[in-house]
């Protein structure tokens, strides 16, 4: 029998020999939900801790970015629950107006129908039907990930309560003069036939054409350049800078607009950059936001030349042409007329596309509903400036202020059928009546409700308080508002976050919707590239969960979560996290088989070995470190701290160093077993918020208690033993150096060799058995012959390697390696001694050579020591 087999009791039947996530995770999650661990009680006297889920679109499924964000939120809420807070993680989904309407319209298209065939009411009913059938996918994925949300409180941005909230705040804003209707330039999608928000526009570099066109004749000639020649049909001026002497004689005069029978004025405007191009720009107020502003300043007419499908409407030869057909036809006509001065193809420039259907967006003058944001935005900025709201990391504050301090009025109307319909009725004589939720709309001939719906961000901007029952003053609203923290990506800081700030402060009498805004980055692939289906690098998190387990995916994401910084992730990192979960499982199982227990009080320090006192000291330091990092939202650092403490210090050092104690049995084994049980108990609780499934299984088996979900969060007991820490650090130095030597000699990690230890000059005499155990050294017999002598950190270790290595071959290999290092050193010294080289070479090149010299010198020293330690051949 081996030492291990003699010492180990029968395996605990409750812990299988291998961890199988697929057999554990689903059952555990349903048990948590059934027991109500994630529900929140507004009647509780516990302090509240509230986080809302950034509501995913009902159309979609969770991508890796969602999994990343949910992991962070779940870790925060699980920890706070363990700390004794009444924790609410509010779940729900967004109705995603344009995305959902597109999905259902595509389904209708397969039947050969359009929404117009059904009519508005029947189409909306069809969307609700689709939502009921398809909207559960996200919930299932959240359960797979382990999201500890309060499912009984799940909300939808178009449910009855949230619809009342939308109508209420619209009415209040309207009555306060903060909502109005006006013609402005908006982003228009000719495919979706609606205005879209800035966040729904994706910019990419497209190949286009830049044509320079001559306007006017003779002395009244100007050359303008454009990538959208078709819009010239709507030009109502040419603008130049007021100080540009080249065109001073033309300002105020009218010139001929090519291909038309119109003349247009030349105006002076400071928006024009005289250094760019010819210094003259065409002005099309109805089809360009900058031109619209120029037009307002100079009282220019707005001529719309395209309909909602981007088809030319101007009477004449181009009428009825699609914008791209019109572009090429107009350029050909200008060329034939001698008006083209220059043409550049391809001309790469940034073009906006609809994020839903990828159609090129058309800036278009349109009658829309707007929110006057200036007073609301000021409040949103002040709340951060005066400290009511903290942005984390602080480096993101300037981006926030740069946005809210310069906000333009917000276009809130969408030309869709799916969404919150604008609660305004129009009368036969131009009357406008806004109707609140408790008011009856006007009736009679000629009265009709506005056909537009509200931007999705309008309803999601109410999310932190509408989900709690507002406008009713509910117990939930009183208990859980404001939210403790908002966890979201920096990419929607300007859109969702700013809108929640504006609406929360407005609706809740100056109380902001959350105390802290914790911003994270975007998930990217291992090369730092954005994940996208079009790039072929998008990952379905469920695939990784199926293969490696949810804990592995969560831990990988948490280890990459530095505040406000993008997160690169690759499958090999998930494999590493799976290995960590397995390590936790195997080491805990081994420890429990060898006496680890939580029964009874922790022994007095005087009864403990230095190894026991060391691990407890390190445990408390880790608790304090993890707590501080949680408060600073430093998930990458706290995950790394937990990884190295659990794997390195607990499993690779403490468990290994304690094996001789466990094998020997007796009172000291009981003491160490209780210490190990304590360490495992605390470590599993520290790990639980990030890797909930494996820790739940292990902790409940170890402790026999109900669930780690509702266990107490570990507290730093204050126990520190610096002397024990120094002692074990000394031991680690000895072991590490000998292990390195063994590896250099090609010995297998588990291969035993005879060894003699002299620890008399160190405080490590009591650890000789443990050192022998971890170094795989058996006692020196009568035939012991020291073939290698290692002076290490005050200790002397003699090894008998005869018969374990080919000394002659090893000496030859090491000599060859040292010769190569000597050659590398000589080359580096020669370059660094060359003044001409140093004068010309960049600093980074010189630094690289210095690094090569340093490495070569270290290699020479190391190899020389290895050669000296080898026996004579």
């Amino acid at each position: 029998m081996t030492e291990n087999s003699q010492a180990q009791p029968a395996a605990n039947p409750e812990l299988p020999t291998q961890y199988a996530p697929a057999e554990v995770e689903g059952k555990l999650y349903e048990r948590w939900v059934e027991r109500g661990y994630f529900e929140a009680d507004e009647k509780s006297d516990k302090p509240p801790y509230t986080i809302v889920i950034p509501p995913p679109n009902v159309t979609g499924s969770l991508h890796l970015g969602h999994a990343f964000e949910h992991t962070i939120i779940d870790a925060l809420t699980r920890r706070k629950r363990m700390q004794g807070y009444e924790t609410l993680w509010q779940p729900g989904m967004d109705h995603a107006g344009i995305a959902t309407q597109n999905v259902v319209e595509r389904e209708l298209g397969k039947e050969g129908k359009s929404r117009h065939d059904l009519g508005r009411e029947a189409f909306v009913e069809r969307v609700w039907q689709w939502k009921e059938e398809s909207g559960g996918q996200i919930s299932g994925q959240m359960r797979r990930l382990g999201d500890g949300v309060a499912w009984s409180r799940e909300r939808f941005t178009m449910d009855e309560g949230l619809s009342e909230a939308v109508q209420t705040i619209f009415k209040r804003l309207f009555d306060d003069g903060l909502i109005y209707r006006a013609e402005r330039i908006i982003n228009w999608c000719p495919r979706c036939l609606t205005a879209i928000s800035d966040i729904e526009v994706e910019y990419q570099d497209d190949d286009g054409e830049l044509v320079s066109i001559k306007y006017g004749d003779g002395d009244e000639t100007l050359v303008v350049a454009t990538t959208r020649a078709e819009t010239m049909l709507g030009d109502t001026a040419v603008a130049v800078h007021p100080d540009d002497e080249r065109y001073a004689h033309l300002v105020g005069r009218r010139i001929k607009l090519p291909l038309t029978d119109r003349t247009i004025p030349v105006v002076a405007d400071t928006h024009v950059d005289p250094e760019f191009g010819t210094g003259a720009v065409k002005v099309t107020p109805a089809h360009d936001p900058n031109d619209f502003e120029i037009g307002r300043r100079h009282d220019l007419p707005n001529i719309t030349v395209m309909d909602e499908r981007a088809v030319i409407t101007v009477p004449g030869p181009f009428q009825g042409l699609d914008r791209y057909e019109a572009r090429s036809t107009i350029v050909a006509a200008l060329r034939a007329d001698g008006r083209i001065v220059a043409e550049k193809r391809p001309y790469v420039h940034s073009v906006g596309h609809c994020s839903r259907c990828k159609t090129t967006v058309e800036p278009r003058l349109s009658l829309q509903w707007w929110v006057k944001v200036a007073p609301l935005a000021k409040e949103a900025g002040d709340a951060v400036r005066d400290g009511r709201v903290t942005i984390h990391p602080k480096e993101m504050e300037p981006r926030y202020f740069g946005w809210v301090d310069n906000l333009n009025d917000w276009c809130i109307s969408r030309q869709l059928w799916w969404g919150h319909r604008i609660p305004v009725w129009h009368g036969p004589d131009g009357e406008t009546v806004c109707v609140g939720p408790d008011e009856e709309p006007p009736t009679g001939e000629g009265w009709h409700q506005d056909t537009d719906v509200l931007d999705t961000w309008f309803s999601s901007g109410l999310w932190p308080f509408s989900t709690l029952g507002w406008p009713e003053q509910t117990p939930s609203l009183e208990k859980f508002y404001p939210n403790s923290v908002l966890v979201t990506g920096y990419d929607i800081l300007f859109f969702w976050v700013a809108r929640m700030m504006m609406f929360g402060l407005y609706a809740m009498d100056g109380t902001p919707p959350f105390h802290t805004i914790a911003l994270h980055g975007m998930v990217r692939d291992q090369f730092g590239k954005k994940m996208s289906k079009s790039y072929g690098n998008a990952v379905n998190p469920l695939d990784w969960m199926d293969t490696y387990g949810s804990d592995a995916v969560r831990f990988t994401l948490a280890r990459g979560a530095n505040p406000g910084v993008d997160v690169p992730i690759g499958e090999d990192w998930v494999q590493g996290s799976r290995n960590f979960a397995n390590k936790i499982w195997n080491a805990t199982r081994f420890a429990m088989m060898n006496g680890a227990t939580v029964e009874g009080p922790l022994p007095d320090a005087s009864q403990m070995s230095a190894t026991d006192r060391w691990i407890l000291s390190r445990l408390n330091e880790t608790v304090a470190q993890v707590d501080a990092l949680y408060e600073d939202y430093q998930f990458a650092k706290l995950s790394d701290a937990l990884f190295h403490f659990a794997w390195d210090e607990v499993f690779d050092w403490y468990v290994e160093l304690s094996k001789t104690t466990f094998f020997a049995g007796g009172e000291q084994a009981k003491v160490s077993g209780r210490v190990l049980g304590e360490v495992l108990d605390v470590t599993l609780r520290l790990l639980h918020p990030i890797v909930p499934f494996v820790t739940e299984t292990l902790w409940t088996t170890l402790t026999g208690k109900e669930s780690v979900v509702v266990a107490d969060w570990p507290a730093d007991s204050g126990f520190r033993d610096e002397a024990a820490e120094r002692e074990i650090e000394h031991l680690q130095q000895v072991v590490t150096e000998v292990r390195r030597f063994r590896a250099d000699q090609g010995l297998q990690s588990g291969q035993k060799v005879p060894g003699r230890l002299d620890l008399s000059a160190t405080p490590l005499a009591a650890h000789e058995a443990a050192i022998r155990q971890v170094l795989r050294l058996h006692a020196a017999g009568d035939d012991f012959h020291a073939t290698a002598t290692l002076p290490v950190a005050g200790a002397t270790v003699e090894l008998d390697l005869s018969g374990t290595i080919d000394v002659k071959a090893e000496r030859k290999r090491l000599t060859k390696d040292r010769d190569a290092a000597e050659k590398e050193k000589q080359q580096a010294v020669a370059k660094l001694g060359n003044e001409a080289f140093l004068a010309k070479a960049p600093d980074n090149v010189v630094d690289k050579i210095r690094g090569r010299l340093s490495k070569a010198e270290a290699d020479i020293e190391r190899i020389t020591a290895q050669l000296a330690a080898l026996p004579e051949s």
Side-chain angles (χ1 to χ4, degrees):
M1 272 190 165
T2 65
E3 291 176 310
N4 287 10
S5 62
Q6 289 175 336
Q8 293 172 353
N12 189 321
E14 294 186 68
L15 279 183
T17 55
Q18 292 183 324
Y19 178 50
E23 298 176 11
V24 170
E25 294 175 351
K27 296 176 183 177
L28 282 183
Y29 189 84
E30 290 309 315
R31 185 188 307 162
W32 293 335
V33 172
E34 288 169 5
R35 292 179 177 178
Y37 292 153
F38 305 141
E39 295 302 325
D41 181 6
E42 61 264 20
K43 298 178 183 178
S44 166
D45 57 3
K46 296 179 181 178
Y49 187 81
T50 315
I51 297 182
V52 294
I53 191 173
N57 288 354
V58 68
T59 56
S61 59
L62 295 188
H63 52 64
L64 207 54
H66 288 121
F68 169 58
E69 186 169 76
H70 288 204
T71 295
I72 294 174
I73 299 175
D74 196 40
L76 288 171
T77 53
R78 283 179 183 269
R79 173 175 174 262
K80 286 296 182 180
R81 187 179 295 111
M82 295 171 75
Q83 286 183 315
Y85 286 79
E86 191 62 37
T87 303
L88 169 61
W89 181 9
Q90 174 67 54
M93 285 180 284
D94 192 285
H95 67 278
I98 189 170
T100 305
Q101 180 156 319
N102 279 347
V103 168
V104 178
E105 284 197 82
R106 283 196 296 270
E107 293 297 314
L108 283 175
K110 295 175 183 177
E111 303 171 15
K113 297 178 181 178
S114 74
R115 61 182 164 122
H116 300 285
D117 294 324
L118 272 66
R120 183 166 192 149
E121 188 174 328
F123 176 77
V124 170
E125 183 60 35
R126 179 72 175 260
V127 180
W128 275 108
Q129 179 184 339
W130 176 89
K131 184 262 180 186
E132 294 304 316
E133 294 172 353
S134 306
Q137 183 177 0
I138 289 174
S139 297
Q141 292 170 319
M142 289 169 61
R143 284 173 160 83
R144 283 291 310 279
L145 190 64
D147 286 1
V149 300
W151 286 112
S152 69
R153 294 172 174 264
E154 187 174 12
R155 304 303 299 268
F156 181 55
T157 52
M158 281 190 57
D159 67 30
E160 185 176 349
L162 270 63
S163 295
E164 181 183 352
V166 168
Q167 195 172 354
T168 298
I169 201 163
F170 187 100
K171 171 71 172 174
R172 291 188 187 179
L173 290 164
F174 184 90
D175 290 347
D176 286 345
L178 295 175
I179 285 183
Y180 65 94
R181 198 181 191 208
E183 278 196 323
R184 297 283 189 275
I185 293 287
I186 45 86
N187 301 307
W188 182 266
C189 177
R191 157 62 183 79
C192 299
L193 300 180
T194 181
I196 59 176
S197 66
D198 292 338
I199 198 172
E200 292 167 321
V201 179
E202 294 178 348
Y203 287 90
Q204 66 184 46
D205 288 341
D206 286 358
D207 286 344
E209 61 180 358
L210 181 69
V211 293
S212 298
I213 309 168
K214 182 174 67 175
Y215 282 27
D217 295 295
D219 293 339
E220 297 180 344
T221 297
L222 287 167
V223 175
V224 300
T226 182
T227 58
R228 301 162 68 214
E230 69 279 7
T231 63
M232 67 163 291
L233 300 175
D235 286 357
T236 56
V238 173
V240 298
H241 194 275
D243 300 331
D244 195 335
E245 296 180 359
R246 294 173 295 175
Y247 306 119
H249 66 290
L250 290 177
V251 174
R253 300 170 72 173
R254 301 185 71 86
I255 61 174
K256 180 77 166 57
L257 178 64
L259 305 183
T260 72
D261 57 2
R262 292 193 291 120
T263 61
I264 56 177
V266 178
V267 299
D269 196 281
T270 54
H271 172 76
V272 180
D273 181 1
E275 303 298 324
F276 183 76
T278 64
V281 297
K282 59 191 288 296
V283 181
T284 321
H287 291 278
D288 183 274
N290 293 321
D291 293 3
F292 178 76
E293 295 302 324
I294 294 175
R296 292 178 70 177
R297 287 193 289 271
H298 297 277
D299 198 24
L300 300 174
N302 302 315
I303 300 177
T304 301
V305 300
M306 280 179 269
D307 66 13
E308 67 274 10
R309 299 182 184 276
V311 173
I312 301 298
T313 57
V314 178
F318 312 112
Q319 186 175 13
L321 295 179
D322 169 82
R323 54 182 163 169
Y324 299 117
E325 296 173 326
R327 182 176 300 172
S328 58
T329 305
I330 287 171
V331 170
L334 289 167
R335 191 183 300 114
D337 201 27
R339 294 284 175 175
I340 298 296
V341 175
E343 299 180 64
K344 185 176 181 181
R345 296 187 186 88
Y347 179 72
V348 179
H349 62 132
S350 181
V351 177
H353 296 262
C354 174
S355 63
R356 302 301 176 188
C357 69
K358 310 308 176 187
T359 301
T360 299
V361 169
E362 191 67 38
R364 185 171 187 262
L365 185 65
S366 182
L367 181 63
Q368 302 285 346
W369 288 94
W370 302 81
V371 172
K372 188 182 296 181
V373 300
L376 303 174
K378 181 182 183 302
E379 288 295 316
D382 289 346
V384 174
R385 288 188 171 96
D386 63 26
R388 281 176 288 161
V389 177
T390 300
I391 293 180
H392 189 88
K394 192 174 179 63
E395 295 76 35
M396 287 288 179
E397 277 189 8
R399 296 182 66 178
Y400 176 78
F401 292 134
W403 180 258
V404 298
D405 293 347
N406 297 283
L407 268 178
N408 296 317
D409 285 358
W410 171 20
C411 176
I412 57 172
S413 47
R414 298 291 179 266
Q415 289 64 56
L416 303 170
W417 288 355
W418 171 246
H420 294 283
R421 195 163 175 181
I422 288 176
V424 170
W425 270 254
H426 302 285
D429 299 317
E431 305 97 327
T432 299
V433 176
C434 182
V435 178
D438 299 323
E439 300 173 345
E440 291 295 325
T443 57
E445 187 177 351
W447 283 94
H448 65 279
Q449 187 176 358
D450 197 286
T451 57
D452 289 351
V453 300
L454 287 163
D455 177 12
T456 297
W457 296 103
F458 191 95
S459 52
S460 61
L462 313 180
W463 193 246
F465 52 93
S466 63
T467 52
L468 297 173
W470 187 90
E472 301 297 325
Q473 295 303 306
T474 64
S476 287
L477 190 64
E478 183 178 351
K479 176 75 173 181
F480 295 112
Y481 187 91
N483 288 193
S484 306
V485 61
L486 172 75
V487 178
T488 191
Y490 65 72
D491 54 320
I492 56 174
L493 171 65
F494 313 132
F495 305 102
W496 188 44
V497 179
R499 281 150 174 69
M500 284 191 290
M501 285 286 283
M502 291 190 295
F503 281 166
L505 289 159
Y506 174 79
M508 300 300 294
D509 300 321
T511 301
F514 19 73
H515 296 302
T516 300
I517 302 169
L519 298 171
H520 60 73
M522 299 172 64
V523 176
R524 297 182 179 273
D525 69 14
Q526 63 266 42
F527 306 109
K529 191 174 183 180
K530 179 181 177 181
M531 284 192 173
S532 167
K533 290 181 180 179
S534 60
Y535 296 153
N537 63 351
V539 173
N540 183 343
L542 289 180
D543 293 340
W544 280 355
M545 289 184 216
D546 289 342
T547 305
Y548 305 109
S550 297
D551 285 332
V553 174
R554 290 170 61 113
F555 194 70
T556 303
L557 292 166
R559 286 194 83 180
N562 289 297
V565 178
D566 288 347
V567 183
I569 185 172
E571 187 167 1
D572 55 336
W573 303 339
V574 187
Q575 293 172 355
S577 295
R578 186 268 314 274
N579 296 342
F580 179 52
N582 288 340
K583 181 77 169 182
I584 298 170
W585 182 274
N586 294 332
T588 303
R589 182 173 179 274
F590 172 83
M592 293 175 63
M593 292 164 62
N594 284 276
T597 180
V598 295
E599 294 181 6
L602 200 61
D604 187 79
S606 62
Q607 299 176 267
M608 299 179 190
S609 67
T611 310
D612 294 334
R613 298 194 303 276
W614 163 75
I615 196 61
L616 287 175
S617 184
R618 291 296 307 128
L619 175 69
N620 281 288
E621 180 60 36
T622 301
V623 170
Q625 182 183 9
V626 167
D627 273 332
L629 292 170
Y630 259 114
E631 296 305 316
D632 200 31
Y633 303 97
Q634 296 281 357
F635 284 90
K637 290 181 180 179
L638 73 87
S639 299
D640 212 45
L642 286 170
F643 174 86
H644 288 295
F645 175 72
W647 191 307
D648 299 342
E649 297 186 284
V650 178
F651 302 141
D652 277 359
W653 281 107
Y654 181 72
V655 170
E656 286 297 316
L657 291 174
S658 300
K659 280 183 178 178
T660 53
T661 301
F662 291 134
F663 297 160
E667 286 304 312
Q668 191 57 52
K670 293 180 181 178
V671 169
S672 293
R674 181 63 186 89
V675 170
L676 181 53
E678 181 77 9
V679 171
L680 290 174
D681 170 17
V682 173
T683 302
L684 291 170
R685 282 186 281 151
L686 288 174
L687 283 165
H688 172 72
I690 299 175
V691 285
F693 294 107
V694 67
T695 52
E696 170 80 342
T697 306
L698 294 173
W699 188 85
T700 53
T701 304
L702 172 70
T703 66
K705 296 181 180 179
E706 179 185 347
S707 173
V708 70
V709 177
V710 290
D712 290 337
W713 180 251
D716 176 7
S717 71
F719 178 84
R720 299 290 191 280
D721 193 324
E722 294 182 3
E725 290 200 38
R726 287 193 299 271
E727 187 172 324
I728 300 305
E729 285 172 9
H730 196 159
L731 181 154
Q732 289 171 327
Q733 283 183 308
V734 173
V735 171
T736 299
E737 287 302 314
V738 177
R739 277 176 170 171
R740 184 178 294 120
F741 176 79
R742 285 174 53 105
D744 288 339
Q745 306 309 312
L747 295 177
Q748 298 297 317
S749 60
Q751 185 176 355
K752 286 198 169 187
V753 296
R756 184 180 292 148
L757 299 178
D758 181 0
L759 304 173
S760 58
T762 74
L764 304 179
H767 298 282
E768 179 169 348
I771 293 173
R772 285 186 174 280
Q773 167 69 29
V774 297
L775 286 176
R776 305 297 188 262
L777 302 180
H778 59 69
D782 294 338
D783 58 346
F784 179 82
H785 176 61
T787 60
T789 302
L790 306 174
V792 181
T796 301
V797 182
E798 295 179 312
L799 304 176
D800 183 355
L801 303 181
S802 56
T804 61
I805 61 172
D806 184 337
V807 176
K808 185 176 181 180
E810 186 64 17
R811 185 175 294 279
K812 183 177 180 181
R813 181 184 71 81
L814 289 172
T815 301
K816 183 179 179 181
D817 289 347
R818 185 173 64 179
D819 290 345
E822 290 281 7
K823 183 177 180 181
E824 177 75 7
K825 176 183 175 181
Q826 292 169 8
Q827 291 175 343
V829 168
K831 284 189 176 182
L832 294 173
N834 186 333
E835 294 297 333
F837 169 78
L838 293 177
K840 295 179 181 179
D843 289 345
N844 65 317
V845 173
V846 175
D847 289 342
K848 188 174 182 181
I849 293 172
R850 288 189 178 126
R852 285 165 51 188
L853 174 60
S854 178
K855 183 179 182 302
E857 290 174 336
D859 287 345
I860 292 168
E861 182 179 355
R862 175 178 56 81
I863 296 169
T864 300
Q866 292 173 17
L867 284 167
L870 284 175
E872 294 297 328
S873 56

